[in-house]
Amino acid sequence: MAAIAIPENTRVFLLDIEGTTTPITFVKDILFPYIRENLEEYLSAHWEEDECKQDVHLLKKQAEEDLRQNKAGPVHAVDQTVHTDEEKAIREVVENVLWQMDADRKSTALKQLQGHMWRAAYMTGKIKGEVYQDVVPAVRRWRHHGLKVYIYSSGSVEAQKLLFGYSVQGNLLDLFDGHFDTNIGAKVESKSYENIAERIGCQPEEIMFLTDVTREAKAAEDAGVNVAVVVRPGNMELTEEERNHYKIVTSFNQLELSGNI
């Protein structure tokens, strides 16, 4: 692997998760199937709890909004309050959630319920976050040399902390100085990276962003952030033009810090 020198003025590493620190297959083959396989059991176990009631209420509101917008969906309304038949009510929630997942919906209602289910799974050891083997030693090395390390993912900050807090390599949260999600802005918008630099308290050109998505790389680059595109197994293939334009990283160990020591 060829070493890649990072700019000498780099003070911060900003890391994407899916396809960068963590295999894409972890989300596709572990997280989403867990929801499908355990949804009905989870709802039955937590149906009377306030958090679950709030989740179902949000799903009901989303279903009503979908109906107003004439979006296709399950024929039954999602409601926890009108049914005396609990099993029937739960089946209707399951039907709605699976429909949203099949349609690759990103609704707040769906993400909230999924997040609560994953939290329970992480905390009981049913799921452990996957992190590539080269990530932890590289991040420790960067921090040893005085650089700060932040995460920026479209997944919620809570979901990020669960993945790293309950990982196969133990609790890794002490490796990171902070977390950003789309509350700071979309990852394909250059303004988001300016916002992150301002929040951290540095200049955009002092940040090195690692991502597997070239649209995100371009947005960061447009904001003045330094970028390397991460190529991992299962990631989207890069065009020849993209390979010629961006620094390409297949392992974090390629990133050379000699100019910063």
Side-chain angles (χ1 to χ4, degrees):
M1 293 182 297
I4 296 175
I6 67 169
E8 291 190 18
N9 64 335
T10 301
R11 293 173 49 200
V12 173
F13 274 98
L14 183 65
L15 310 179
D16 169 51
I17 294 180
E18 189 179 344
T20 299
T21 67
T22 297
I24 281 179
T25 52
F26 175 67
V27 175
K28 185 179 70 174
D29 298 340
I30 303 294
L31 290 185
F32 287 151
Y34 178 84
I35 300 294
R36 293 180 179 276
E37 294 164 10
N38 295 276
L39 179 57
E40 188 166 353
E41 179 184 348
Y42 175 87
L43 290 170
S44 297
H46 300 278
W47 191 250
E48 295 300 330
E49 297 173 13
D50 287 343
E51 184 175 81
C52 186
K53 289 180 178 179
Q54 292 168 6
D55 291 344
V56 172
H57 177 71
L58 267 186
L59 288 166
K60 177 177 183 288
K61 292 291 187 184
Q62 181 65 56
E64 291 172 348
E65 179 63 25
D66 290 341
L67 193 62
R68 279 195 294 271
Q69 296 184 13
N70 295 318
K71 292 185 178 177
V75 294
H76 301 297
V78 175
D79 198 342
Q80 202 169 12
T81 59
V82 300
H83 293 286
T84 54
D85 185 345
E86 182 178 300
E87 289 185 6
K88 181 182 178 185
I90 289 173
R91 283 196 302 271
E92 291 176 4
V93 175
V94 169
E95 185 180 4
N96 179 273
V97 168
L98 295 182
W99 169 74
Q100 290 202 57
M101 292 180 67
D102 288 341
D104 198 25
R105 298 286 297 277
K106 307 291 185 185
S107 72
T108 299
L110 176 64
K111 289 173 70 174
Q112 179 169 301
L113 175 62
Q114 288 175 329
H116 292 154
M117 286 187 64
W118 288 327
R119 181 184 64 199
Y122 279 116
M123 294 179 72
T124 56
K126 293 178 181 176
I127 291 177
K128 289 186 180 295
E130 294 183 15
V131 179
Y132 283 113
Q133 290 296 319
D134 57 287
V135 172
V136 172
V139 172
R140 292 196 192 283
R141 186 173 72 252
W142 301 339
R143 293 179 62 85
H144 175 74
H145 290 297
L147 282 80
K148 293 185 179 296
V149 183
Y150 290 82
I151 296 292
Y152 181 30
S153 172
S154 56
S156 70
V157 167
E158 180 183 14
Q160 296 173 31
K161 289 182 176 180
L162 287 169
L163 191 157
F164 291 111
Y166 296 91
S167 86
V168 291
Q169 299 179 49
N171 186 342
L172 304 177
L173 289 175
D174 64 343
L175 295 180
F176 306 109
D177 294 278
H179 299 256
F180 298 100
D181 58 20
T182 51
N183 284 317
I184 200 80
K187 295 179 74 181
V188 295
E189 296 177 0
S190 60
K191 180 65 176 174
S192 305
Y193 300 88
E194 297 171 9
N195 293 341
I196 287 173
E198 184 178 356
R199 185 77 60 86
I200 291 173
C202 68
Q203 297 300 313
E205 58 268 24
E206 295 175 316
I207 297 175
M208 184 73 176
F209 178 47
L210 305 183
T211 179
D212 64 307
V213 179
T214 53
R215 286 182 66 207
E216 297 172 3
K218 183 181 186 308
E221 200 173 51
D222 288 347
V225 170
N226 295 296
V227 173
V229 173
V230 181
V231 175
R232 302 280 199 183
N235 287 9
M236 187 169 293
E237 290 287 332
L238 301 180
T239 66
E240 183 177 355
E241 182 181 358
E242 289 168 341
R243 285 185 170 275
N244 290 333
H245 179 77
Y246 293 108
K247 295 176 180 177
I248 303 298
V249 173
T250 58
S251 167
F252 283 12
N253 294 326
Q254 290 175 259
L255 295 163
E256 179 61 63
L257 294 175
S258 59
N260 299 76
I261 299 173

